[in-house]
Structure formats: C-alpha cells, structure tokens
Amino acid sequence: MKASLSLLSGLLGPLVFAGCVGGLVVNDGNGDSPGSPNGTTDGAPGPEGTTGPGGSEPPPIEEQPKLACDEGLPQASPSLLRRLAPREYLNSVSDLLAMDFVAPLDDTETVYTTELAVRQFDEATRLLETQVLDAPSVAPCDILGPTDRSCVESFIASFGERAFRRTVSEEEKTALLSAYDEARTELDHAAASLALLRIMLQSPQFLYRVEIGEEDPSLPPGMRKLTGYERATRLSYFFLGTTPDQELLDAARSGELDDAAGVRAEANRLLTSTTVREPFREVVSEWLQLDGATVLPSLEDTPKDVAAVGQELTQGLRSAMRNDVLTFAERVTFDEQGTFEALLTDTHAFVTPELADLYGASGEGWIDVGAERPGILTRAAWLTLTGSQKHQSPIRRGAFLIREFLCQPLSDPPATVDNTPVDPSTDSTADAVTIRQITEERTTGDQCQGCHKRINGLGFAFEHFDTLGRWHDTEQGAPVDAATSITGTDVDGPVSGAADFMNQMANSAVAKSCFGERFFRSALGRTLGELDDCSRETVMQKFSETGNIQELLLDIASSDAFLYMNGAAPAAQEEGQ
Amino acid sequence: MRFGSTKNSGRRAFLRKAGGGILGLPLLEFTHGLSWAQDAVNKRFVTVFSHGGTLSPRGKEYLVDQWNDKASIADRWHPTGLGANFTVGEIQKPVERFQKKMLFVSGVDNKTAIADADYNGDHNFNNVMCLTCADTTGSKENVTALGPSIDAVIAKRLAARQPVRFESIHLMIEGHQYGSPFFRASQQIARGESSPVSAFDRIFAGVTADMSTGPDPAEVRENALRRHVLNGTMEEFKTLRAQVSAHDRQVLDAHFDHLTALSSEIQTLAAGTTAQCVPPTGVRGGEGNVVGSAHAKIIVAALRCGLTNVANLEIADILAPWAPSGLQVDSGYGIGHSLGHLQRDVGQGTDHERRWIIEMVENRQWRMSVMGEILEGLDDPAFSEGGRTILDNSIVYYTSEFGSPEHHSSYEVPTLVFGSAGGKLKQGQHITYNKHRTAEPLARQHESDASYHNLYTTFLQALGENDGHFGNDRAKFKGPLSELFA
C-alpha cells in the first residue's frame, strides 16, 4: 500500500472524531467574564513582586509562509532554546569527566529552567573534587601540578570545546581565564582550576543546546544552516543521548557535517554504537508510558489487588516486564529484522522464569511466546499498565491506542461520567457478566458511543489478556470475546483478536507515521510544525514503504528539519546592532 | 512538639566571622536586619497546597442537580455554624486545637477558572490559576500562568523589608498531580524540593546551634569557590545573552535571575559567616508521612531562624496508606486523583461509600495533620515576637485547586487561614461568602462574588501592602474581603 500520509493525517482525524474531540460541557454562565478565554490581563506587565500579571508571554517566533515541497528549498519550524534533559545532562557530565556521574535533577518539562533545577546544577558540580581534573581526557596537561598558566589556557580550549560542543572563541577564553585569575586571588591553583571546570559545567553553553546557525543566501527567509558543531550536537543527543564524542567534534571541525551525506555517514557510525540503544529504549518507554503519564502511575507503582488477580505483582516481576518489552524493541530494531512490522508481529520475549510462567510458557532469556502473543502490545508491561487493579480495561487500552498508537485526538471524558473501573463482582447484570459486556452496557447510548465506539472497538481486541497480561478464555464462566472491528484507520475491518489486530496494524501507514513522528519529535526536541511538513512527509513516506526503523532514524537525521533552523537570528542582528 | 533543646536560641541567629568571633550585632540582627513595617513585627506567609480538592458536595449547582440521584452528599470539609460559634469540619479535626487562631472562609470561588478553564474547572487549568488568578497560555498539561502566584509576590515584598537568605522555600510531598500552582513569574513554574535531606542541607547550610567552635575551614573554602563559580557562570550568561533571539533571551534571563538569588545567598556564606540557630533534627526521607513531618520541621525551623519569610508546602494528590484505616477502595488508577473522583460513583448508603469516605477523610486529615505540625511549631510561645507567637504574626494558608474534586469544582474552594498577620485578620471565625448559606447554613445552592482575587488582595493588605487588586480581571468586585479584617 502506498498511502499519502498527509492525506491520511488530514482526513482521518476530523472525519472519525467528530464529536469526540473538544469539551462536552459548556460554560454555565456563572463566570463573570465568559468571553475571551485566556485573554488579556488588566494589569500592565510588571516585574516580580507586583500583583499584576508579572510578565508577559515571550515574543512569539513568527513562522514564515510554507513553500511548496517541490521547490526543494529547506524549511523547518522554529525551535526554542533547548535545555539538556536530566538524563542528557548526567550522560554528558559522565562522558566529559570519564566517570559515572549521578545527581538529583528536577525533571519539570518547562521552557524556563526552575529555581530548583538551577540550584541542583550548582549542587551537582559541588560533588566534583579536584581529582576529576586528573583524567587525561579532562585536561591535556598536568593541571594539578605546579601552577602553569599555559596549561590552564590549554584546558579551557580543549575541555571547553567538548563541553560547549564547539570551538571556544577568543573572547570566551579570555573571560574564562579572567574567572580563573579572579578565583586565584582567594584559592590555590587546583581549586581555581576546579572552579573553571564548574563554571563550564554551569555555563549556558553547556546546559542549553545553543543554536545560532549561519547565514546562507540560498535559503528561504528566516532559515539558517546549522553549523557543523550544531549538527554534531543534534546527532549525538538524538542517537546517543549525550555530548558529541571526539570523532563527531573532529567531523564538525573538518567540515564533514556541512552536507547531508556527511551527516548521514556520521549517523551511520553512531548507529553501530551500543550506546544508541539507551535513547531508543527511552523513546519506547515514553511511548508505552512505562514511567507513568497524566493519569497512569508507572509500571513500578501501578497497583494490583492481589486477592483479585491471584498473585502478587512483585517488583521483580515488574522489572522483568519492563526489561522484556524494551529489550524486545531493541532486539527487533538493532539485531533482527529492524522493521515496524516485526515490532508488531515478532513472537519472541525476553523473560525471567516468573514472567515466562505469566506468559504460560517456561524458560529464561529469549523464548517464543506463540502466535497468540505477537508484538509489543501483547507483552505484560503494556497490558499491566492499562489494566485496573483487578481486571483488564478495554477502555484504557482503546484510549491509549487512539492517542499513542495512532496519534489521533481524543477528548478527556466529561467530568460527569462514571469512570470507576469495571468490576463484575459489583457491576454484573443479568445480561452482562464479562468485562466486555459490562463495558458495553455502561457505554451504550449515543453520547457515549461518539467516542466509545472506537475506544471499545480497539480495546476489545485485547480481551483475552487480563490485568497482568495473562491469557484467559473465560470470565465469570462466560467465554471471552475478543472479536471486534478496527475503525478510523487505514486498515479498518474486523479482527478476531489481538494477534489479528497486530498483524493488521503492522501494515498501517497511520500507525507507522505515529511511531515515526515520535522519533522525529525526539530528534528535534519539539512538536513538528507546518514548516516541517516537507521533511515529515518525505521521511514518513519512505518509512511507510520500508518500515525499516534504523533507516527511519537515518532519514530523520538527514532531513532538512534536522539540518537547518528557523527564526533564531542573533538578537544583536534583530536590534540592528 | 519542640525542635531541639535550645529552643530559646531558635530565632536568634547570630553572624560569626570565619575566625570564630561573634560580631557585636543585636540578638535578632540576622532575622530582623531592617526596620520595615509600621508595626515592626516580622510577617511570614505559609502556603499549604493540597492537590485534588476536598470532600465537599458544594460544587457547580447545575451539576449537583444533574446528579442529585447519585451524588454523595458527604461533606466532611465545611464547619457547622457561622461567626465565632462554629464547629470545625471532620477534615479539620487534626487542627481543631488551633480553632481560636483559625479563620475559616467558605464561599470563595476561583473566578478565573470558572471563566476560562475547560468544564469551568480542569486540573491543569485550575492548578495554574488558583494561586495566580492569572490568564494562561498553552493547553492541557502545557498550560502555564501569565503571572506570579501569590506566594511569590509576597515573598518578594517581604524580602525587601525583611532581608532573608531565601526569598522563599518550597517543599513538596510527591505523588500524582496535574501541574504546579506555583509560579515565580509569568510562565515560570516553581518546583518544590521533595527530598527532606536535600532541603535540609540547602537551607541549613552554615546554620548551627553550637557557636563554640569556628566554622569548618573546608566549608569556608567551598563557599569561596562557589562564589567564584557563580560569578564566572553569570558572566557566561551575560555573554550568550547578546547572541540569541529575544525569546531565548527571556529563558536565559530567568535562569540568570535564579543564579543571582543563589549568589546572594552565598554572599553570606562565602563571607565566612555562620548563623546560630537550631536546625531541625531527625530529618530523613521515606514515605509521604515521613517526608511530610520532615518538611514541617524544616519549615518551622527555617521560619524561626529567619532564614526565610515565605514557605510553601505542596502536597501532591497522593494516597495515604499510612492512615489508620489504610487504603479502603479501588480507586482505579491507583492515584489520589481518582480517589477524589469517586465521590459521585460510590452511591449513597452503600458499603463502598462508607469505605470511600473513611479513606478520603483520613487522607485529607493526614494532610491537615502535617499542617498542624507547622502550626504547632509556629505557635510556640517560646518564640514570641512583639508579644505574639510567630503564628499570630503570620498567615498560614491552606487551599486546593478544587472544591469538590469529582465535579472539578472551581466554586467554594477550600480556604483555611491561620494566624492574623499581627492582628490584622480575624481569628476563630467562620465567615461565608456563599449568599445562600448566610441564611441557611446547610444550603446546597451556591452564589458568591468572592474570588481568590479578593482573598489574595486581603492577604497583601494584611501583610502591610497597599494593593487594591491581585491577578487578572475575573473578579466581580475588586479589592479585599473586608469582612476578614480584624
């Protein structure tokens, strides 16, 4: 099948979800000023300590008009200044200092760095002793030896390039040397050198991924070409989750990253690194919400009723579930077929004996769990996360599939609905004894069916898997029914159960695009905008045809959206200085 | 509850130079460095923010009517009686002993959320609106306020007249929650420290009850090093600032502001000074109940020591298995959020309702008990100032993003105040702004002109400020809630 992805994303959502997106409860009129939601404030923007709004939104970055893709000109949506994520920060410090560096860090995802995070950055560097300067990779000379100003200068240049991910300018070298000299008025040479290290590790040049780019008159208005160093930084954090290694920096310095082919060549090299697997696992973990989401606790925290499910969900079993699903995705991508189809149809699992038992099998390590359990969504981790304390939840599973597997919008349930978990022990009726039957009974009626026709339809496919992901054929003495219909996708039609569902979805361009865009967002650190459309469509079109995940990552890395930037002209130029 | 054995030295913080000699400063110099207010008594402000609403049926009237056949009518929040003759609600039992210093305000609405939030009340929107009364930008989990929260404004004002090491401290008991209600400035979320040990190390650095020995030379060296590091780092920010877009410059400026505050704190430490005070003992991490008590100790000691004027304790919508009856019901998602949501689903008179109410009440009572530890510490007469306890001279404020959580109600939000800001606010009173309840205390109808806007304007004026309004223009009537003034 060769579907047009832009057509799919443009048509399927609105058509399918009419009535299922947006608020269902209107303003009751009790508000004093019902108009202009999120509108203006009455006070003049003021500094902190005033009672007015205390500030205003940062100036918006104007997006240039979109050009037709066939014009062949690079386009990309604007990016904001991006701070290193906690994991990226820890990896980077560890690599820069050749040590395992651990420190508590605020993980609040916000444009502005919190006060807590700033304190923690300061406190993290306080964990460093002068001995860290002793590593040859940190300082190219004996910086802990007798005072040697040339060694300090050499340290600034070499460590600075690694920490700032670019050549340190003469002005910056002078400033850093001044900071060293200032520290020497109170501290000995070693302590002042340590101060230099700590300054560089708290510098915005390290903590933020600063992208200035460079002028290129051949580009459309607002577009700038990322420098080789900036491309190296994007590559390294996307593929490895850490600061660029020496080879990348060398490639940047020598101009090898000035064209897409050079970038792709380096990306190919990074794909062979074992480190590439960790960021990949993190994206998969975020996709499956293993660390929790808006309303779901993490896999480690999700509660289960031991009496109801008949076994304790131990931390060991939870850990095995997490490792299984992530190792499975890693193996499929990097060691086996490497395709999206395999991610949804491969029947191997990486188990402990306890997890094997849960799968109705035996063994340890890689085992084949059988044709009824193909792919990543039939594994215990996701099935457990989306189950209630006692039973499976087709509603949660269906809602997850719409939002996270198909990337389609779905409103929150209105505040008036009964969202307690379905429990046959209290909710059974004469006509409804199974989870599915009770769910259907509870969500009957036009108002509910606006959303639940799709939610339930997708979720019911997994009815044979209970709240721990165990296979069951009967509930309350009644047979489990997992036959259902897929709607709202490009592979609509009846399916007999989860295995059939996974096999159908393996061919879905919508599902592939949703999966691929997750990595695109990870690469860019932002949602995709209109000016990314050409890059997105090119990359996703190819991915929908090949399904090759490694090729997907390479195509993202060599796309215009990855190689160019938009809208962040230096402030001095903006002000005509 | 007493912290430490040398309680009388608690708020008396000394400055000592590195050599160990005590400077000839007045006893209260560290805490009371300037003469600031007309009544010359230190004012403090504490916010205890309890995520997830409370146990109250008084929500949006039309919803109550709609669900009248099913909604639980359990009300464990509101007191009975008005004025000075009231009996606290069941949830306030753990702080009942402070009733004479309690100002229970009912009928206050979050008018911003009513006007602007999804469903007139949405977790994300209500969180960012309830302490800021501000307009917002963004949607769902990305929504942020376009103004500072009341604690940040008060912290800035108080710090200007009552110099302190920390403009404010912010601790939290972690769990599930939708966003933060605390904003340092427009779009700048403030996050609380969840580790009591980290908070202790940070807040009580250089603080000691024992002045018999000189400061640790290693600490003196480290403080000097930190000062140079921060100075050098700030120069880096200044350099980069000129190279980025206007938008990114704002991000860097916000970061720089935090560094400036940090630098200011370190000036004291790096100058080789040590504060004499009584740090709390036995601070450790653990489950939420352990963390809650530890945080309470830290807040009390920090306020007593004059290390800060403003403290926030943020309690996530966390379940409380340590409550006497433990966990009673399957709350679906296993998080406190759905515990509150269950109210409308439990059915009246059922065993499910009975067990749900037990769990919900005990959960909220535990939260209240944590605040009780703070109240007790601040009300210790051994730490009186100007003839009043620290609590008397302060405002301790308890609230949440919702009233009735299952309705996501922005109406009649929990509003509990302790202390009088030095005699400015009434105490031992229940005052309602629900027009229907003044005539019929148990009326379920709700109509009010009072908003958070007015309440926070009241706080500002009680603390000696002259603001006529706080927040955006959603309040029907601007100005304070004058009935709350003594």
Side-chain angles (χ1 to χ4, degrees), chain B residues 395-448:
Chain B
I395 293 175
V396 178
Y397 171 50
Y398 179 100
T399 192
S400 180
E401 80 270 29
F402 290 139
S404 173
E406 86 286 11
H407 295 163
H408 286 189
S409 177
S410 306
Y411 297 82
E412 197 146 42
V413 287
T415 308
L416 196 53
V417 179
F418 293 88
S420 66
K424 304 296 184 189
L425 295 176
K426 287 177 181 171
Q427 291 185 296
Q429 298 271 321
H430 171 206
I431 295 174
T432 185
Y433 287 90
N434 181 346
K435 296 174 182 176
H436 295 280
R437 294 196 76 209
T438 52
E440 169 50 61
L442 295 179
R444 292 181 64 187
Q445 293 168 291
H446 176 76
E447 184 182 357
S448 170

Side-chain angles (χ1 to χ4, degrees), chain A residues 107-271:
Chain A
D107 59 0
T108 304
E109 292 183 7
T110 172
V111 173
Y112 292 98
T113 306
T114 64
E115 179 192 2
L116 178 63
V118 172
R119 288 183 180 280
Q120 289 174 329
F121 287 138
D122 174 60
E123 289 164 359
T125 64
R126 292 174 64 193
L127 298 173
L128 301 173
E129 304 282 353
T130 51
Q131 285 78 3
V132 301
L133 294 164
D134 214 14
S137 60
V138 176
C141 47
D142 183 17
I143 198 163
L144 294 182
T147 301
D148 178 354
R149 194 175 172 79
S150 65
C151 180
V152 174
E153 292 177 14
S154 172
F155 168 64
I156 290 172
S158 64
F159 188 80
E161 184 192 39
R162 295 176 61 223
F164 296 174
R165 305 174 287 271
R166 59 169 174 73
T167 305
V168 182
S169 70
E170 290 305 317
E171 182 187 3
E172 288 170 327
K173 286 177 185 172
T174 302
L176 287 166
L177 202 55
S178 295
Y180 165 82
D181 290 336
E182 184 66 28
R184 282 289 281 129
T185 61
E186 281 190 87
L187 304 168
D188 61 25
H189 166 64
S193 300
L194 180 62
L196 260 185
L197 176 78
R198 284 166 55 169
I199 288 170
M200 285 191 270
L201 292 180
Q202 287 197 72
S203 167
Q205 303 282 3
F206 171 67
L207 296 178
Y208 294 90
R209 289 166 56 176
V210 179
E211 293 177 342
I212 307 293
E214 54 194 22
E215 294 284 354
D216 183 339
S218 69
L219 297 174
M223 292 298 298
R224 295 170 70 83
K225 179 182 176 182
L226 290 172
T227 66
Y229 281 107
E230 290 164 347
R231 289 176 172 181
T233 298
R234 281 197 179 188
L235 277 176
S236 190
Y237 283 106
F238 177 39
F239 281 91
L240 307 181
T242 188
T243 196
D245 60 16
Q246 198 57 52
E247 286 183 73
L248 260 178
L249 293 175
D250 291 343
R253 195 184 312 109
S254 66
E256 289 175 39
L257 303 182
D258 287 350
D259 57 49
V263 172
R264 194 177 182 96
E266 273 302 309
N268 251 316
R269 178 180 71 82
L270 299 181
L271 269 180

Side-chain angles (χ1 to χ4, degrees), chain B residues 287-362:
Chain B
E287 293 295 305
N289 55 336
V290 176
V291 170
S293 288
H295 283 346
K297 283 183 179 181
I298 290 171
I299 286 172
V300 168
L303 291 168
R304 282 178 176 177
C305 291
L307 295 170
T308 188
N309 301 312
V310 172
N312 300 325
L313 177 62
E314 189 174 0
I315 306 174
D317 205 357
I318 183 175
L319 296 174
W322 46 80
S325 304
L327 303 183
Q328 288 283 310
V329 298
D330 178 355
S331 55
Y333 295 94
I335 51 180
H337 164 243
S338 54
L339 180 65
H341 268 284
L342 281 173
Q343 178 167 356
R344 67 173 179 275
D345 303 320
V346 293
Q348 293 177 43
T350 65
D351 180 60
H352 198 182
E353 183 197 37
R354 183 187 63 78
R355 290 187 293 113
W356 174 76
I357 289 176
I358 288 172
E359 181 174 349
M360 186 77 176
V361 168
E362 290 187 356

